Amino acid sequence: MIITSDIKYVGVNDHEIDLFEGQYDVPNGMAYNSYVVSDYKIAVMDTVDARFGHEWLDNIAAATGGKAPDYLIVQHMEPDHSANIDVFMKAYPNATIVSSQKAFAMMKNFFGKEYEDRRVVVGEGDTLPLGRHVLTFVTAPMVHWPEVIVTYDAFDKVLFSADGFGKFGALDVEEDWACEARRYYFGIVGKYGAQVQALLRKAAALDIQKICPLHGPILTENLGYYLGLYNTWSSYGVESEGIFIAYTSVYGHTKAAVELLKEKLKAKGCPKVSVCDLAREDMAEAVEDAFRYGKLVLATTTYNADIFPFMRTFIEHLTERGYQNRTIALIENGSWAPLAAKVMKGLFEGSKNITFLDPVIRLTSAMNDLTKEQIEKVSDELCQEYLARQDATANKNDLKALFNIGYGLYVVTCNDGKKDNGLIVNTVSQVTNTPNRIAVTINKQNYSHHVIKQTGKMNINCLSVDAPFSVFECFGFRSGRTVDKFEGWEKYYSDNGLPFLPKYINSFMSLQVEQYVDLGTHGMFICSVTEARVISDLETMTYTYYQKNVKPRPQTEGKKGYVCKVCGYVYEGDTLPDDYVCPLCKHGAADFEPIK
Amino acid sequence: MKYVCNLCGWEYDEAVGDPDNGIAPGTKFEDLPEDFACPLCGAGKDEFQA
């Protein structure tokens, strides 16, 4: 096979192998690639598996027209590429080995010698001139062994990528690249995502037109596709939309739950549901699918007070390969003491960014109505975005969407001529930039609305994340008509004569009202900026941050009745009157929910 | 104390140090320079586990 006018393929196909690397099924065999670069000097790139020494030497002789090669470049020391080093060195007694220091140390371990007088040691950026072709070596530690180097030929713009971009399957069998390359990648290289990323960054600086890996086809077209997949895989990103279900089942009950779940997921719009029986199907394929999709369902039985062995093996395959950034739902079965979910969760303890869905689907032997209810819930959770994207299934009136607007929280200060006042709002936004204009919307019932409409000026204090709940109690939940909200505060004033908060803010702006817009319940003030100061580098307090970290948890423990979703006030009683108004924050009955 | 590289399994033994790379025997793991890299695979300090 001719790759360029000077580069020829001299590798071999192996259809005899039962398990590659002692564990991977390779129904279409395996290719051990090797290349000859012919120039003023001749270099051979890597050797092949021990069983193919003669065939390989014949290929070399045919490719060089009988001329003796000058160099054997050893990029990787795994025996499927290095086993014939000594055979080569005996066949070509004048040849020199070019490799990394670490590879020579491994040769000593494999062959008892490290060819001191017939070698060139190369490291990052070193070059080997052959004539027109000058080979540049790039170290690729832990992709996926420590000694690995890859080689770039700037003349033909070819990258010899060692095991990178390799796949299962001999070259005389036609098959899709991605499936077997993905199974190969996650099986063999998966743990070393960060190291592959480092190599991809180095490769990005090179003009590459062909990739010659040590397994699988030479890549000559559409290289962006292959590089893109490698980037997704090595960054543990999601390649395909869909859900992967991996299960074990002893008597078929867990399987029945899996089948029902699969049906529900499909009905709810999941574009692809892939299912694998871990005891009966290829484990390496299950591993690749777990990394391919963003959502994983694990279903297994409690077994020997642990989990079914195939599931344990599967999860260990994932965690030792750095499984991360995924959502996992669990199905457990157990006839007397189900603890499979707990064991499965525990196995992911050291994994990064794993989200477990609630509830765990639990079978205590066989499915019942409760299990079916749980399957319904979990399938809703798993299909949230699919349901929401489809016209037919979307809830088009889900006002929780508004909570996802990134509101900040602000204290608006003003003065009625007698005393300083302030209130909390989340309705501040910059609306133009030449000149800078800021819109602030305030409820007409608030005293500040009245004051600002009269005086035409205010200060906007941007609360920072260090603001305690007491600031909200002071400026919110009560009216400046009746209390002096600045009592006890140290007073600081901006040029417009209005106060700003001495602490708990990261900046403030003084505003002059330009326009007023009547919005019924609220009034919007559109203002120009007359002064602006940055007080600290802390981050701005957002409404989400306040809800999660500042607002005290409602004290509902042991109480019966209703709790205010806004401020946490608890109304104790069996029924909440429709016209009830929260005494603390003045929100109506609609903002209360029953205590569960 | 011994620390093992999570990527390649190379072991840093404080008693032995890493004389080939100028780390004297007895050097505590926390006293290794911040840019210390595994001599086998190049992994950084944060990839090591006690």
Side-chain angles (χ1 to χ4, degrees):
Chain A
M1 191 194 330
I2 290 167
I3 294 156
T4 71
S5 56
D6 297 332
I7 301 177
K8 288 186 182 129
Y9 181 83
V10 292
V12 297
N13 287 321
D14 180 359
H15 286 289
E16 294 154 27
I17 190 164
D18 61 339
L19 292 176
F20 179 67
E21 286 193 2
Q23 61 169 321
Y24 298 103
D25 266 327
V26 281
N28 288 332
M30 203 63 206
Y32 312 112
N33 297 346
S34 172
Y35 307 90
V36 168
V37 186
S38 295
D39 201 330
Y40 178 68
K41 299 271 189 185
I42 297 173
V44 175
M45 308 296 301
D46 296 287
T47 87
V48 298
D49 190 79
R51 291 167 293 129
F52 298 88
H54 290 293
E55 186 183 339
W56 174 64
L57 287 178
D58 290 348
N59 289 350
I60 293 172
T64 60
K67 282 209 294 194
D70 301 278
Y71 300 108
L72 173 65
I73 293 162
V74 175
Q75 302 187 102
H76 181 23
M77 276 302 293
E78 252 187 314
D80 53 333
H81 309 294
S82 70
N84 281 297
I85 290 177
D86 208 48
V87 172
F88 180 91
M89 295 305 274
K90 285 192 175 115
Y92 297 107
N94 294 320
T96 301
I97 302 179
V98 180
S99 194
S100 67
Q101 184 72 57
K102 285 168 194 157
F104 284 111
M106 289 182 184
M107 283 178 219
K108 181 149 200 204
N109 295 340
F110 275 113
F111 314 124
K113 50 184 159 184
E114 44 189 323
Y115 306 96
E116 277 94 346
D117 49 346
R118 298 177 65 188
R119 73 180 193 185
V120 175
V121 177
V122 292
E124 180 74 23
D126 288 346
T127 55
L128 179 72
L130 302 175
R132 295 186 299 176
H133 296 263
V134 177
L135 303 180
T136 303
F137 302 103
V138 177
T139 58
M142 297 322 287
V143 179
H144 55 116
W145 275 28
E147 85 295 0
V148 173
I149 50 173
V150 300
T151 308
Y152 179 65
D153 170 23
F155 185 77
D156 277 338
K157 299 186 170 49
V158 170
L159 178 71
F160 297 93
S161 59
D163 271 348
F165 300 96
K167 71 180 264 299
F168 298 126
L171 297 194
D172 51 3
V173 181
E174 283 273 327
E175 64 179 352
D176 175 57
W177 186 85
C179 184
E180 285 296 71
R182 188 189 302 108
R183 191 165 69 97
Y184 177 93
Y185 175 86
F186 285 112
I188 293 170
V189 190
K191 174 183 169 74
Y192 303 106
Q195 289 65 34
V196 174
Q197 285 277 305
L199 182 58
L200 289 175
R201 279 194 292 274
K202 290 186 196 177
L206 303 171
D207 176 9
I208 300 170
Q209 289 180 1
K210 291 185 170 68
I211 296 177
C212 293
L214 288 177
H215 301 288
I218 290 97
L219 308 175
T220 56
E221 281 171 6
N222 200 10
L223 295 189
Y225 166 75
Y226 304 103
L227 287 161
L229 281 179
Y230 254 63
N231 184 39
T232 302
W233 296 344
S234 57
S235 57
Y236 303 96
V238 175
E239 180 190 340
S240 306
E241 198 166 62
I243 298 169
F244 177 53
I245 308 178
Y247 76 94
T248 66
S249 190
V250 187
Y251 294 105
H253 293 106
T254 311
K255 184 179 180 179
V258 164
E259 279 170 352
L260 178 62
L261 178 64
K262 179 185 177 177
E263 219 174 274
K264 296 271 178 202
L265 295 174
K266 281 186 150 175
K268 287 174 186 178
C270 179
K272 169 83 188 170
V273 184
S274 178
V275 178
C276 176
D277 178 343
L278 294 173
R280 291 180 175 80
E281 294 173 60
D282 180 32
M283 186 66 83
E285 212 156 296
V287 170
E288 86 170 279
D289 270 355
F291 282 96
R292 178 176 187 173
Y293 301 105
K295 296 171 188 176
L296 173 67
V297 180
L298 299 173
T300 197
T301 321
T302 307
Y303 196 81
N304 284 337
D306 198 280
I307 52 176
F308 207 62
F310 293 94
M311 180 56 81
R312 175 171 271 278
T313 305
F314 175 62
I315 294 174
E316 283 167 355
H317 274 303
L318 298 185
T319 55
E320 75 192 28
R321 284 165 175 77
Y323 197 68
Q324 55 190 273
N325 309 336
R326 296 296 190 274
T327 298
I328 301 179
L330 299 173
I331 302 179
E332 68 173 355
N333 200 341
S335 294
W336 56 94
L339 43 76
K342 189 172 161 233
V343 174
M344 287 193 281
K345 268 188 193 170
L347 288 172
F348 285 99
E349 231 160 44
S351 304
K352 283 186 244 171
N353 197 15
I354 299 287
T355 308
F356 287 100
L357 284 189
D358 270 337
V360 167
I361 298 167
R362 172 180 283 188
L363 292 84
T364 43
S365 298
M367 262 199 290
N368 58 24
D369 288 346
L370 182 62
T371 333
K372 286 177 187 163
E373 207 177 285
Q374 289 166 342
I375 288 174
E376 193 71 50
K377 255 191 207 157
V378 168
S379 61
D380 276 342
E381 286 275 323
L382 283 168
C383 293
Q384 189 188 12
E385 73 258 44
Y386 315 132
L387 291 166
R389 283 195 310 227
Q390 307 292 330
D391 249 354
T393 51
N395 173 0
K396 295 184 180 174
N397 198 26
D398 190 346
L399 294 179
K400 289 204 297 295
L402 273 64
F403 295 157
N404 290 337
I405 295 173
Y407 301 106
L409 289 172
Y410 310 88
V411 175
V412 176
T413 56
C414 56
N415 185 294
D416 62 4
K418 291 184 192 134
K419 72 173 187 292
D420 296 324
N421 191 26
L423 91 163
I424 306 260
V425 302
N426 65 348
T427 46
V428 173
S429 62
Q430 184 176 355
V431 287
T432 62
N433 65 355
T434 41
N436 288 315
R437 283 196 194 90
I438 290 174
V440 183
T441 308
I442 301 176
N443 190 318
K444 286 181 184 171
Q445 290 180 5
N446 287 117
Y447 184 53
S448 296
H449 174 271
H450 173 75
V451 173
I452 294 166
K453 206 159 175 238
Q454 297 286 320
T455 60
K457 60 184 184 175
M458 69 181 111
N459 281 349
I460 298 295
N461 295 261
C462 302
L463 288 167
S464 43
V465 289
D466 59 334
F469 187 63
S470 61
V471 173
F472 296 88
E473 287 179 305
C474 175
F475 290 104
F477 307 139
R478 54 189 197 154
S479 174
R481 288 189 181 90
T482 50
V483 290
D484 176 6
K485 294 188 183 182
F486 269 95
E487 195 189 334
W489 284 87
E490 203 181 334
K491 297 282 183 84
Y492 285 90
Y493 293 96
S494 52
D495 289 349
N496 62 359
L498 294 179
F500 62 89
L501 300 197
K503 52 187 176 178
Y504 308 133
I505 66 171
N506 57 18
S507 59
F508 78 83
M509 284 143 270
S510 297
L511 304 185
Q512 183 69 41
V513 178
E514 284 185 353
Q515 285 180 54
Y516 176 78
V517 183
D518 192 322
L519 297 172
T521 55
H522 291 65
M524 178 190 276
F525 300 94
I526 297 171
C527 315
S528 56
V529 180
T530 59
E531 186 177 345
R533 291 193 218 177
V534 173
I535 307 292
S536 86
D537 293 330
L538 285 174
E539 281 190 39
T540 296
M541 169 88 69
T542 61
Y543 188 66
T544 314
Y545 186 92
Y546 167 79
Q547 290 286 341
K548 277 192 184 153
N549 303 298
V550 180
K551 193 175 105 171
R553 298 266 156 257
Q555 302 292 311
T556 56
E557 189 89 7
K559 291 183 184 167
K560 278 184 188 162
Y562 297 81
V563 59
C564 173
K565 287 190 280 186
V566 178
C567 71
Y569 177 81
V570 173
Y571 173 87
E572 290 189 81
D574 289 340
T575 49
L576 185 75
D578 287 345
D579 60 350
Y580 188 76
V581 173
C582 176
L584 201 54
C585 73
K586 309 286 185 261
H587 281 74
D591 284 313
F592 278 74
E593 63 184 4
I595 295 169
K596 284 174 191 163
Chain B
M1 281 278 279
K2 290 175 180 178
Y3 293 80
V4 176
C5 172
N6 173 41
L7 288 178
C8 72
W10 183 80
E11 189 177 86
Y12 178 75
D13 184 341
E14 291 180 335
V16 177
D18 183 13
D20 291 350
N21 294 297
I23 308 287
T27 306
K28 294 265 180 226
F29 183 77
E30 63 252 36
D31 295 334
L32 290 173
E34 273 319 298
D35 61 354
F36 174 81
C38 171
L40 191 54
C41 75
K45 272 178 86 171
D46 51 350
E47 293 285 2
F48 279 79
Q49 267 182 336

